[in-house]
Amino acid sequence: MSLHKCIMLRCILSTLIGFVAWAPPVFASRGPFLEQIDKTTWTFGNDLWNVTQEEVYASKLYFLGSGLVGSAAGHYMGYDGENNFIWTSAVITSRGEDYIDVAFSCEEGELHWVIFDDLAGAYQYFINRALPDLSILRTLWRLDPKLFLDGRTYLRDEPLPDFALYQNATKVQDETWQLANGSFITKYDFSDYVRERDFYGIYGPSFGSWYIHPGTDYYNSDHLSQTLTVHRESATGNSVQLNVVQDTSHFRVGEKVAQPAGKIWGPWLWYLNDGTVEDAKWQASEELAKWPYLWLKDTAYQSRGGVAGQLTLSDGRPASGAAIFLGDTDTSRRPSVQGRNYYYTAQADREGRFSLQDVRTGTYGLSAWSNGGALADHHHLGRGNHKHLPLTWIVPEKAKRLFTIGDFGKTALGFRNGGPPYQHGISDQSPANLTFTVGKSEASDWYYAQSLVGTWAVKFGMDHQALMLGGDAGSATLSLSFAGYSQSTAMDITINDQLLGSLGKDIFASDPSLYRSGKTSGEWRFVQYNIPWRF
Ligand SMILES: *[C@@H]1O[C@H](CO)[C@@H](O)[C@H](O)[C@H]1NC(C)=O
Ligand SMILES: *[C@@H]1O[C@H](CO)[C@@H](O)[C@H](O)[C@H]1NC(C)=O
Ligand SMILES: *[C@@H]1O[C@H](CO)[C@@H](O)[C@H](O)[C@H]1NC(C)=O
Ligand SMILES: *[C@@H]1O[C@H](CO)[C@@H](O)[C@H](O)[C@H]1NC(C)=O
């Protein structure tokens, strides 16, 4: 019996070897494919990988012969944090020499998977048909926790927390646990700024699964837009790779936004490899060079141009380093919750010049604000719908400045503990009481967040007579710029024990950035108090 098998095997091998030597490969490559298995099951992919999609979940993913989903949930999509897209049909909507474009339809729209002959992974994009007003839109993969051990964003590259850690930990808030040794684990620590991304994903010694977004115009909001990326799913242990392409909920005062029919999110690339971060980085640079993708036959997507200009302050200075934002024509809507169109950001150079490439044809509102640096003392915003460039940013007559703590901007950068990485619980390191002495203390003596009960005082001197001669002798202005505000903190603002005003949750709607590991920014607030002289 066993001898027989052995002979058979040898026989097959020799035949194959002979064949390969004289003809094209025996196993002719099949190329990209879509196959319907039954009413609500489809398999698609190419020779390297394939996915089996059911009504909601794609619970099977094979790559180079290995299953990558394991005990995890696989792929799904939905709005506002749910798995609410139910796929009713799949068709090939277009094909080129080396790819097919497969559209899965649901009531809300179409998710496309664009599958090339030799590419490990697929481009994906979603076309809106009937989405309700929403604050979150995302696709995601939940993959085998035994294969995907690490998470990588542009801010972190480290093991995902061990699932066992959650069992013994104390839940302290939304998706956040405290370990016996006092440290925290939370998915929010892996958050990042969407427009700063290069690529991100989850990986292990054999496989990596990545998201590469070379174009970012379908992301809502401005430079400061942030969302989640990768994490350990606390309930199941799945290794999760989120692709949140719309988020007007996390890290700001959330609002739902109406979405026009026909709007396209993407294409981005979902990319598979052997778990090498360097290779994913190389692929990301390839995608950047190819974006906007020529294969997407959509007139509006392909219709693009450049926008360039120069911004000057009305006092003659260039708007050096200003943050430039092309957003909604309705500039009265906060950038943090603009999200029905396409958005572009830039930073002006020293001369206030800026340029944006590959901007979709359309009408935009232009806003600009100080990003620190040479405009560190400028708290005013310029905005409007300008047909003519260059632009002038009207600033008030320069008043005499008594003091400023830190650079003016919309972030807590420059203050102690401010800035990346995201980390839960760091606000507890800020002191209850703090005294800042103008002329002696540095911006870095001031902390990024205040959360304990106490008093933060600023000591400054002033020369009354010089001020009177300086012009407006009637009053002074105290300007307070908050990078974010989370409720349960309330502040009284006083000057020489006289109350100027109180700030708290009745004045500011709470934004979740501070308790969701944010150390740089959330929803920006700006308050000014008029201070009469002589008290
Ligand atoms: C999907 O990939 C697996 C593993 O490589 C393979 O066994 C299977 O035949 C593929 N499915 C299709 C429909 O090609
Ligand atoms: C959880 O706590 C138990 C009891 O204190 C301990 O034996 C076990 O090692 C802990 N597990 C982890 C993963 O810390
Ligand atoms: C607390 O325990 C976790 C899990 O073992 C570990 O990763 C972390 O470094 C520890 N933190 C401190 C402050 O010891
Ligand atoms: C902060 O200052 C107040 C008033 O002096 C004092 O009562 C309080 O104990 C101080 N808090 C801390 C933590 O030192």
Side-chain angles (χ1 to χ4, degrees), residues 265-280:
W265 284 267
W268 54 84
L269 175 64
W270 160 60
Y271 178 64
L272 290 168
N273 72 2
D274 63 357
T276 312
V277 176
E278 275 306 305
D279 171 69

Side-chain angles (χ1 to χ4, degrees), residues 197-479:
R197 291 171 170 174
D198 46 7
F199 62 98
Y200 66 93
I202 50 179
Y203 67 98
S206 309
F207 302 105
S209 179
W210 311 93
Y211 285 123
I212 300 171
H213 300 84
T216 57
D217 52 4
Y218 48 88
Y219 283 140
N220 55 277
S221 309
D222 62 9
H223 314 60
L224 298 180
S225 200
Q226 311 160 65
T227 191
L228 302 172
T229 59
V230 299
H231 63 95
R232 169 83 58 212
E233 168 58 40
S234 60
T236 58
N238 292 184
S239 296
V240 184
Q241 171 188 18
L242 291 166
N243 178 40
V244 188
V245 292
Q246 178 86 19
D247 185 347
T248 50
S249 166
H250 297 99
F251 303 102
R252 69 206 82 207
V253 177
E255 261 179 46
K256 289 186 194 282
V257 180
Q259 300 301 328
K263 175 173 170 183
I264 294 182
W265 284 267
W268 54 84
L269 175 64
W270 160 60
Y271 178 64
L272 290 168
N273 72 2
D274 63 357
T276 312
V277 176
E278 275 306 305
D279 171 69
K281 184 176 184 177
W282 180 84
Q283 190 69 35
S285 67
E286 289 286 290
E287 299 307 320
L288 203 56
K290 283 187 273 188
W291 184 84
Y293 297 115
L294 291 170
W295 48 260
L296 183 59
K297 306 282 184 273
D298 178 271
T299 313
Y301 178 84
Q302 297 297 349
S303 169
R304 294 170 187 264
V307 177
Q310 186 170 15
L311 191 57
T312 312
L313 305 189
S314 56
D315 63 11
R317 288 186 293 163
S320 303
I324 307 285
F325 175 54
L326 270 196
D328 290 349
T329 49
D330 175 7
T331 53
S332 66
R333 193 172 171 89
R334 313 187 316 273
S336 62
V337 292
Q338 289 188 20
R340 52 178 292 132
N341 298 306
Y342 301 95
Y343 301 92
Y344 301 86
T345 60
Q347 186 166 357
D349 67 11
R350 281 172 58 93
E351 277 74 47
R353 289 199 191 88
F354 62 90
S355 77
L356 293 153
Q357 272 84 47
D358 295 315
V359 174
R360 276 171 170 262
T361 305
T363 310
Y364 297 89
L366 179 83
S367 306
W369 57 90
S370 164
N371 226 354
L375 298 182
D377 60 334
H378 254 285
H379 56 69
H380 279 267
L381 308 183
R383 64 188 176 195
N385 301 309
H386 297 277
K387 290 223 166 63
H388 306 289
L389 303 170
L391 303 174
T392 301
W393 171 352
I394 313 244
V395 292
E397 299 263 319
K398 211 170 179 193
K400 183 172 169 64
R401 184 152 44 101
L402 290 176
F403 68 86
T404 307
I405 303 177
D407 282 359
F408 187 81
K410 293 183 176 182
T411 71
L413 294 174
F415 298 130
R416 180 84 54 97
N417 290 341
Y422 290 72
Q423 197 177 342
H424 184 81
I426 300 302
S427 56
D428 294 347
Q429 293 175 12
S430 300
N433 297 318
L434 174 71
T435 300
F436 185 97
T437 307
V438 173
K440 236 167 79 187
S441 307
E442 308 278 337
S444 58
D445 295 324
W446 190 263
Y447 283 72
Y448 84 112
Q450 182 174 24
S451 66
L452 300 177
V453 176
T455 303
W456 287 17
V458 181
K459 289 194 168 155
F460 65 99
M462 58 183 203
D463 176 347
H464 274 268
Q465 203 166 10
L467 280 171
M468 302 292 237
L469 293 174
D472 183 3
S475 65
T477 303
L478 175 66
S479 301

